[in-house]
C-alpha cells in the first residue's frame, strides 16, 4: 500500500509532511474518500469561503501552524474558480552522519549546461565516507552519503558531457532507479575526496498537469 509506505517515510527524523483538503462549499466529497484521507493523512476537508484573500490566508496559516513555522507559506495565489485543492507540504532537514568541516567550505566553479560556470559555496573533504560505484550502462557515477536517522543522500554524476541530462533522466525508469538505490544501499562507504555544493531546494509543484499526462 503506497499510503502505508508514505506514512512510514513521514515518520523519519527531520522530515515533516502534511496534507489538507480545501473545496468549494457546493462540492460533495464521497465518504470513502474522506475516510481514507483522514486515516492515511489526517486531512479533514475545509470549505472555501469564496473570498480569495481570506482563503489564501487560511491555507498559508494552516501550513505555517502544521509545520511549526518551517514553512511560512504554501501558495502565493489561488487558481481561478477553485473547486478542489488537494495540498501537500514536505520539509526535510537532515544532519550529516559524519559532519563536514565548515572551515573547508570554499568557492568552487559549478558547471551548468548551456551556461558559463558559476562559483558557489562547496563543501569539501579529503577523506569523506562515500559509498560509490559506476554504472557502465547509464555512464554515471553513483555516490551515497549517510545522514542521521537512517536516511541517505544519493548523487548521480554523469561521466561524460553534461548536456544530455535529459537522456539520463529518461533512462531512469522506476526499476532502473530502484536497482541503483538498492546497489547504493549495499555498497560499503570508503574514504573519498568529496566536493559537494551546499544545497537548498525549494520547489512548488502543481501536479494537475502531471495527472492529466498520466
Amino acid at each position: 500500500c503506497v499510503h502505508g509506505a508514505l506514512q512510514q517515510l513521514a515518520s523519519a527524523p527531520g522530515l515533516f509532511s502534511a496534507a489538507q483538503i480545501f473545496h468549494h462549499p457546493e462540492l460533495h466529497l464521497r465518504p470513502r474518500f474522506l475516510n481514507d484521507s483522514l486515516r492515511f493523512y489526517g486531512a479533514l476537508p475545509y470549505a472555501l469561503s469564496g473570498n480569495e484573500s481570506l482563503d489564501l490566508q487560511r491555507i498559508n496559516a494552516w501550513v505555517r501552524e502544521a509545520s511549526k513555522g518551517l514553512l511560512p507559506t504554501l501558495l502565493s495565489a489561488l487558481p481561478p474558480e477553485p473547486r478542489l485543492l488537494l495540498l501537500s507540504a514536505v520539509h526535510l532537514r537532515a544532519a550529516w552522519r559524519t559532519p563536514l568541516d565548515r572551515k573547508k567550505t570554499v568557492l568552487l566553479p559549478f558547471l551548468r549546461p548551456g551556461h558559463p560556470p558559476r562559483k558557489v559555496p562547496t563543501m569539501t573533504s579529503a577523506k569523506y565516507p562515500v559509498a560509490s560505484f559506476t554504472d557502465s550502462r547509464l555512464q554515471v557515477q553513483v555516490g551515497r552519503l549517510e545522514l542521521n536517522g537512517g536516511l541517505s543522500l544519493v548523487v548521480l554524476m554523469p561521466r561524460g558531457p553534461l548536456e544530455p541530462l535529459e537522456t539520463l533522466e529518461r533512462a531512469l525508469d522506476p526499476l532502473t532507479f530502484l536497482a541503483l538505490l538498492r546497489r547504493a544501499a549495499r555498497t560499503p562507504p570508503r574514504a573519498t575526496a568529496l566536493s559537494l555544493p551546499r544545497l537548498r531546494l525549494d520547489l512548488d509543484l502543481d501536479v494537475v498537469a502531471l495527472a492529466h499526462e498520466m
Side-chain angles (χ1 to χ4, degrees):
C1 173
V2 66
H3 304 287
L6 288 172
Q7 276 187 321
Q8 184 178 359
L9 177 63
S11 65
L15 181 64
F16 159 79
S17 175
Q20 192 52 278
I21 303 167
F22 293 86
H23 65 95
H24 191 279
E26 296 179 1
L27 184 67
H28 298 289
L29 304 176
R30 294 185 176 182
R32 180 180 176 184
F33 171 75
L34 295 176
N35 290 337
D36 285 347
S37 298
L38 179 61
R39 174 186 172 195
F40 292 114
Y41 300 101
L44 287 170
Y46 285 94
L48 296 168
S49 68
N51 183 318
E52 181 176 347
S53 177
L54 183 62
D55 288 333
L56 193 60
Q57 289 181 23
R58 189 175 187 183
I59 289 171
N60 288 326
W62 160 74
V63 75
R64 189 164 51 249
E65 181 180 352
S67 68
K68 295 181 173 60
L70 289 173
L71 298 170
T73 61
L74 184 62
L75 297 180
S76 57
L78 292 181
E81 300 181 4
R83 299 285 294 174
L84 179 66
L85 298 175
L86 304 177
L87 303 176
S88 296
V90 178
H91 183 279
L92 172 66
R93 184 173 184 174
W96 300 107
R97 184 171 181 180
T98 302
L100 286 135
D101 188 348
R102 290 178 179 271
K103 296 178 181 178
K104 294 182 180 178
T105 296
V106 296
L107 290 176
L108 290 177
F110 181 77
L111 303 182
R112 300 178 297 162
H115 299 277
R118 186 179 197 175
K119 287 193 173 182
V120 300
T122 304
M123 302 174 287
T124 65
S125 174
K127 295 181 179 181
Y128 193 83
V130 180
S132 65
F133 60 90
T134 300
D135 188 289
S136 57
R137 184 177 71 85
L138 296 175
Q139 286 298 300
V140 294
Q141 186 173 6
V142 181
R144 178 176 63 85
L145 291 78
E146 294 182 327
L147 307 172
N148 283 337
L151 302 175
S152 295
L153 172 67
V154 178
V155 180
L156 274 64
M157 176 72 76
R159 293 184 61 82
L162 294 180
E163 281 73 15
L165 286 176
E166 294 84 359
T167 304
L168 172 60
E169 291 175 354
R170 286 194 297 269
L172 288 173
D173 57 77
L175 289 178
T176 300
F177 190 52
L178 184 59
L180 285 179
L181 294 180
R182 285 175 171 167
R183 184 177 174 186
R186 294 193 307 265
T187 303
R190 61 177 182 271
T192 305
L194 175 70
S195 296
L196 184 69
R198 290 180 57 186
L199 303 174
R200 179 191 173 96
L201 177 64
D202 264 318
L203 178 65
D204 294 327
L205 182 63
D206 186 347
V207 299
V208 172
L210 297 176
H212 279 296
E213 290 179 5
M214 294 167 62

